[in-house]
Amino acid sequence: MDENSAMHIESGVSLRTYNSFGLPAVAHTLVRIAGDADVRRVVDHPTLGRAPKFILGGGSNIILTRDMPQVVLKVEVTGRRLVEERADAWIVEAGAGEPWHDVVMWSLAQGYPGLENLALIPGTVGASPVQNIGAYGVELQDRFEALDAVDLRTGLTVTLNTQQCTFGYRDSVFKHSLAGRAVITRVRFRLPRPWKPVLGYLELERKVAETGIAQPSAQQIADWVIAIRRAKLPDPALIGNAGSFFKNPVVTPEQCRDIIGRDPEVVHYPMPDGSVKLAAGWMIDACGWKGKTVGQAGVYEKQALVLVNRGEAIGSEVMTLARAIQESVYGRFGIRLETEPVVV
Ligand code: EPU
């Protein structure tokens, strides 16, 4: 569509197939965004311009508990390209609506390694900076250059660098001051040259030991990551889920010692800043939740940090299960687990 073409406004759109948990909810109003001009058309629209908005990417990190009165902007911006080949990095850009995993595989096939540890993460490119996706020792912020977003108040395209995105663990400015205020349309990645493998994560170290491949290629690491994920994370195409349902809590060394005193087995990782990250999945498992079900919402059998849709789950059942888990983890460990996906 060009700058002048009319905007297509859809009403009463089922979001069930637009969220990876497969939860039922209806968007009263939905507009598809194929480029920055589409966002500007919404901003300039006499009624939609002022209405509250909800920005929907691949829907892999949301829990829908009700129908949506907001104007849902479904981001469908496509495109992948090498922007620049610097001596110290490849700069690669992808449209926010591109499936994340496809971009990872495309970049590897093109000879731009660096995203391999993040293979098979569900969702779209546009969501990757919002929650600073991370897996197997790499976070999006480690491979981030900049992004373009359209400001929903002004309709202007702005570019944000790493600092402006204020990335944290599964966190960014898009979950705080810019929540619902900027539509990310393109993301640029900085893939350092020369490429260096990141193999520090226990399960990847195990693959090196098992296979005897001490110097794996980026493609080999992607294959390992895919195999590791397939072995313990449910495929959203087959079993509805939103990945990890809770964040791994970060505690002080004193709190951690206290918990270890009572539960010596608790899985924990010291962080560079002196704090300690606890494995929420281990704690939930220790409370006996693995495989349990409330209504049609359940705890995945192979990884207690993942809640799943056993068929016809509704958002309130998922949240009832989530609250019961939070209470039992609090009761045993004194830790309040925070949900990782956005609850709507
Ligand atoms: N564990 C259990 N029982 C369980 C689950 C985990 O004992 O039911 C133990 C594991 O044996 C392991 C530890 O807990 O010792 C941590 O488990 P795992 O390595 O599977 O990682 P995680 O901390 O549960 C995080 C991310 C994942 C990411 C993996 C790999 C968060 C919230 N989750 O999970 O990200 O794939 O590390 O890097 O940080 C996501 O965000 O959606 C996601 C899947």
Side-chain angles (χ1 to χ4, degrees):
M1 274 204 278
D2 64 37
E3 200 69 47
N4 301 314
S5 59
M7 182 167 58
H8 184 52
I9 304 171
E10 297 169 50
S11 317
V13 180
S14 166
L15 297 175
R16 193 194 282 266
T17 58
Y18 291 163
N19 73 100
S20 64
F21 220 110
L23 298 171
V26 171
H28 294 191
T29 311
L30 183 140
V31 179
R32 291 171 202 274
I33 303 297
D36 297 24
D38 289 337
V39 184
R40 279 191 276 280
R41 261 188 286 272
V42 174
V43 172
D44 293 339
H45 189 274
T47 49
L48 300 192
R50 284 160 177 271
K53 317 283 191 304
F54 182 82
I55 302 154
L56 181 62
S60 63
N61 206 43
I62 53 169
I63 301 301
L64 297 173
T65 62
R66 56 180 175 84
D67 289 344
M68 304 209 58
Q70 304 97 317
V71 177
V72 174
L73 303 180
K74 183 156 189 308
V75 181
E76 298 183 347
V77 182
T78 58
R80 307 157 191 185
R81 66 185 180 111
L82 177 70
V83 178
E84 199 187 337
E85 202 162 342
R86 294 183 198 154
D88 64 343
W90 294 279
I91 309 296
V92 169
E93 181 183 86
E98 292 276 350
W100 170 262
H101 178 66
D102 293 0
V103 170
V104 172
M105 296 325 255
W106 168 83
S107 62
L108 292 174
Q110 298 292 310
Y112 317 131
L115 298 177
E116 55 282 351
N117 294 53
L118 303 175
L120 214 62
I121 293 182
T124 51
V125 164
S128 65
V130 175
Q131 48 160 334
N132 187 20
I133 57 172
Y136 308 103
V138 176
E139 281 186 323
L140 193 273
Q141 70 178 80
D142 307 324
R143 301 287 181 267
F144 183 83
E145 171 74 4
L147 60 77
D148 298 332
V150 184
D151 186 322
L152 278 171
R153 292 161 308 168
T154 62
L156 296 175
T157 297
V158 293
T159 296
L160 275 74
N161 62 23
T162 306
Q163 217 180 352
Q164 291 165 313
C165 289
T166 51
F167 291 118
Y169 165 59
R170 294 294 190 279
D171 200 28
S172 75
V173 72
F174 301 100
K175 282 190 166 182
H176 301 280
S177 60
L178 289 185
R181 276 179 46 189
V183 181
I184 297 166
T185 48
R186 284 169 300 278
V187 181
R188 286 180 288 287
F189 306 99
R190 190 179 55 78
L191 310 176
R193 298 171 71 182
W195 171 76
K196 284 198 211 79
V198 178
L199 296 167
Y201 204 87
L202 184 65
E203 282 164 299
L204 287 174
E205 281 176 353
R206 225 176 258 155
K207 289 283 184 196
V208 170
E210 272 167 26
T211 60
I213 304 173
Q215 285 168 334
S217 65
Q219 182 64 52
Q220 176 66 75
I221 295 173
D223 292 346
W224 284 342
V225 167
I226 290 168
I228 293 166
R229 290 188 75 99
R230 288 215 170 114
K232 65 177 189 189
L233 295 170
D235 176 355
L238 306 174
I239 305 170
N241 75 91
S244 301
F245 200 91
F246 300 101
K247 293 187 193 184
N248 284 328
V250 177
V251 299
T252 63
E254 295 73 42
Q255 280 174 300
C256 187
R257 268 197 296 276
D258 184 44
I259 294 172
I260 292 174
R262 284 176 285 143
D263 276 281
E265 308 279 284
V266 66
V267 177
H268 59 285
Y269 315 93
M271 304 296 285
D273 67 357
S275 61
V276 184
K277 195 182 264 185
L278 303 174
W282 184 90
M283 293 194 280
I284 298 167
D285 196 2
C287 291
W289 281 102
K290 218 181 235 177
K292 292 278 162 61
T293 298
V294 167
Q296 293 277 303
V299 181
Y300 193 52
E301 286 73 9
K302 297 181 205 162
Q303 162 51 299
L305 196 52
V306 178
L307 303 193
V308 295
N309 187 343
R310 303 229 185 263
E312 300 290 315
I314 55 173
S316 58
E317 284 170 343
V318 177
M319 293 315 294
T320 301
L321 174 59
R323 275 189 286 271
I325 291 170
Q326 282 167 319
E327 271 168 39
S328 73
V329 167
Y330 184 73
R332 171 154 170 191
F333 299 98
I335 298 282
R336 291 196 191 279
L337 293 182
E338 267 178 59
T339 55
E340 205 260 301
V342 176
V343 179
V344 191

